[in-house]
Amino acid sequence: MINFEIMEVRQAWRAGVICFIAVILDEFFLKTEFPGWILITSLVCLQANFGATVIKAKQRLVGTILGCVLAYFIVFLFPNDMNIYILFIFLSIIFAIYNTVNTVQSYTYSIFFFTFALMMLYVTAHPNGISFAILRIEDVAIGALLGTLGSFFLWPNFAKKSFHTDLKNIIRDKDILFEYIIEWIDGKKTYEDIYVQKVLSATQNQMARNRILEIYYEIGKRNFPSKEYEAFILCQERIHYSLLTVLNALRVGSLEKRMDSFLFVKEQMQAIQNYFNESVLRLPLSKENALELRINSLANWDFQSVEVKITKDLYNSKGRKISFEEIKLRSLLERLFQEIKLMNIEIDKLHEYYSK
């Protein structure tokens, strides 16, 4: 039996149905000269959720229109100049491949350069090739519409529903990164283990930021604290960077100097990690969750005593002679601690939003 709870299954069925509809539309109604344009566009635009589909459809349509318009002006300015046409084709293909491989700019740029090169190629091969620009825009518009409607009506999936999972993944990966660095200090993990985890953590941060944009295209600015969640994710990115800064500071210098600092850093990292884990328990994932947290007295949890203890331990030398290396690490740990305190402020703002 088909399990439509699996995203890949839903996506495969959506794609199949959209392909069938695109073929039927072209065969019996539209009868376009290039039916593949509609089919390919509808499949490309069909993303994992509705918000991502709208973004992809917008990018493809805008890139196509701009590419066709530029091709029209080039033909208008340089009529029948094949050398110019071939030069522009060559340059456009280079830029399209470079942008696609390096993901320097958005999908719009890749489509813009590709469409421009395609239109110039038609102009080179056909005397009235620029007329294909109108057909290209029409077919891409129909394909984008098909993909968008398919994403909305056929086993729909919305970014807002999966955003909670993204937030949980961010917190989980950050906690694991804390743990890996502490275990690296103990010699239980290698730097390669930390490298893999830091890539996962950074990827989750970016995915969550993308999800906020997808939610904006689904429901707009209303009824969702996009700015507040984006500020929370930005705090996670700064915490991520601060953790890596501490790690890199531990990796440089002589082994003797580092060994003197390892125990101090480990103790402070464990305390800061506990503070981080207690803080994120207050993160509201929805209005109902915010209400539940307030009922359980988690929303207004007083962290003052914990923060005072961490600050005191950071500057408590316990009668030891403090090296310059330890002073530097202490400042980095304090920065990490401050970033988590700022994260708590953003969590408070989320509670304020949901309490309205």
Side-chain angles (χ1 to χ4, degrees), residues 65-213:
I65 292 173
L66 292 177
C68 290
V69 169
L70 180 60
Y72 177 84
F73 276 109
I74 294 298
V75 172
F76 178 78
L77 294 173
F78 305 99
N80 300 319
D81 192 335
M82 294 301 168
N83 292 329
I84 293 292
Y85 297 167
I86 293 172
L87 175 63
F88 276 117
I89 291 171
F90 180 71
L91 292 176
S92 296
I93 292 174
I94 290 176
F95 282 125
I97 294 174
Y98 177 79
N99 187 75
T100 302
V101 172
N102 294 278
T103 61
V104 177
Q105 300 292 342
S106 72
Y107 179 67
T108 305
Y109 287 86
S110 297
I111 290 299
F112 165 72
F113 288 121
F114 173 77
T115 301
F116 177 62
L118 183 64
M119 291 303 103
M120 297 310 299
L121 185 62
Y122 276 121
V123 170
T124 305
H126 300 278
N128 195 28
I130 195 62
S131 61
F132 288 102
I134 302 299
L135 297 176
R136 173 75 177 176
I137 293 173
E138 290 176 351
D139 291 347
V140 168
I142 294 170
L145 179 63
L146 273 177
T148 303
L149 292 176
S151 181
F152 186 79
F153 290 107
L154 300 174
W155 306 281
N157 185 36
F158 296 98
K160 188 177 179 180
K161 292 183 179 179
S162 57
F163 183 60
H164 300 161
T165 302
D166 293 324
L167 290 174
K168 292 176 181 177
N169 289 340
I170 286 176
I171 294 168
R172 179 204 62 199
D173 285 339
K174 207 68 74 260
D175 182 48
I176 294 174
L177 187 58
F178 262 107
E179 198 63 41
Y180 275 24
I181 293 175
I182 293 171
E183 291 184 359
W184 175 82
I185 294 173
D186 286 335
K188 297 177 182 178
K189 293 289 183 183
T190 65
Y191 178 74
E192 286 71 24
D193 296 326
I194 297 176
Y195 180 83
V196 171
Q197 184 55 38
K198 81 172 183 180
V199 171
L200 289 174
S201 177
T203 302
Q204 287 296 340
N205 289 337
Q206 187 58 50
M207 286 177 62
R209 290 176 75 100
N210 293 341
R211 201 77 71 211
I212 289 177
L213 181 62

Side-chain angles (χ1 to χ4, degrees), residues 245-268:
T245 305
V246 173
L247 172 66
N248 291 332
L250 287 171
R251 295 180 66 215
V252 299
S254 66
L255 180 62
E256 182 180 355
K257 288 182 178 180
R258 287 187 287 153
M259 292 301 294
D260 291 340
S261 307
F262 273 9
L263 181 59
F264 168 76
V265 174
K266 178 184 174 182
E267 291 175 351
Q268 303 311 314

Side-chain angles (χ1 to χ4, degrees), residues 274-307:
N274 291 335
Y275 174 62
F276 171 82
N277 288 330
E278 290 175 358
S279 298
V280 293
L281 288 174
R282 302 171 51 245
L283 177 67
L285 302 177
S286 63
K287 189 170 185 177
E288 294 75 16
N289 182 229
L291 178 61
E292 182 182 347
L293 290 170
R294 286 197 296 273
I295 293 173
N296 294 328
S297 301
L298 285 173
N300 300 311
W301 203 339
D302 184 12
F303 285 99
Q304 187 174 0
S305 59
V306 178
E307 292 171 354

